[in-house]
Amino acid sequence: MSEAQMIGVPTDAPGTWEDLRAAVVGNNGVFRTTMGMLREIGGYGRLGTNVRQILSRNLAGIGLGHLPMELPAYQDKEILLFQYGTPAAEIVEAVREGASDGAETALIRLNSSQDIAKVRDASLKAVELLSILNDRCRDCMRPLR
């Protein structure tokens, strides 16, 4: 896998809004790209204020949000796209909202999911260790010769 693929920048750039949405969904709901790619998909020449607002609305129309909140004016600037309705979108919204019930709920859910992942990892390691100990104990239980 190339470095560009690992960081979410496609080597084969999406050419349509549908392709872009598929790229985001295919990258676990988060995808980094450039303003130049958005400009090309939209078919615009310059990234003026009106064009950036249209691009933002087009992204929302296909279920995608973006960071930064205000799209940059330069084609080489990177943006981070995220799929609405995902945990990533909840966290972005939590940060944007500030101290609200929604932000608190999203952040608690994030912390809880990390704890669950830690428990799952610990459980897998415990099963692995038990398997190793079980194999060693079988050898220990053999009669001495």
Side-chain angles (χ1 to χ4, degrees):
M1 177 178 285
S2 74
E3 182 180 353
Q5 290 171 321
M6 292 185 336
I7 62 171
V9 177
T11 53
D12 185 25
T16 65
W17 293 110
E18 294 79 22
D19 292 344
L20 182 60
R21 185 178 194 311
V24 174
V25 170
N27 198 48
N28 295 312
V30 179
F31 187 77
R32 188 168 32 164
T33 189
T34 64
M35 285 300 296
M37 182 189 304
L38 283 188
R39 187 196 68 212
E40 289 176 23
I41 290 173
Y44 298 103
R46 297 188 65 198
L47 290 168
T49 303
N50 292 336
V51 168
R52 288 179 289 155
Q53 289 173 349
I54 292 168
L55 291 173
S56 184
R57 285 194 302 267
N58 287 345
L59 289 169
I62 60 170
L64 302 178
H66 55 81
L67 287 174
M69 286 179 61
E70 185 175 327
L71 291 173
Y74 299 99
Q75 70 178 10
D76 60 334
K77 293 293 184 180
E78 289 187 336
I79 58 169
L80 189 63
L81 303 175
F82 56 89
Q83 182 182 2
Y84 289 137
T86 63
E90 288 181 12
I91 298 306
V92 169
E93 193 59 35
V95 171
R96 287 180 180 168
E97 287 179 14
S100 69
D101 289 343
E104 180 181 19
T105 301
L107 293 173
I108 287 171
R109 192 173 311 132
L110 173 65
N111 284 343
S112 298
S113 68
Q114 288 176 343
D115 291 342
I116 290 169
K118 288 178 186 175
V119 169
R120 185 186 68 236
D121 290 344
S123 296
L124 291 173
K125 291 205 181 285
V127 167
E128 183 182 347
L129 287 172
L130 285 173
S131 176
I132 291 169
L133 289 173
N134 189 39
D135 289 345
R136 288 185 181 172
C137 286
R138 274 193 232 136
D139 290 340
C140 295
M141 300 292 236
R142 290 188 183 153
L144 295 174
R145 290 189 185 182

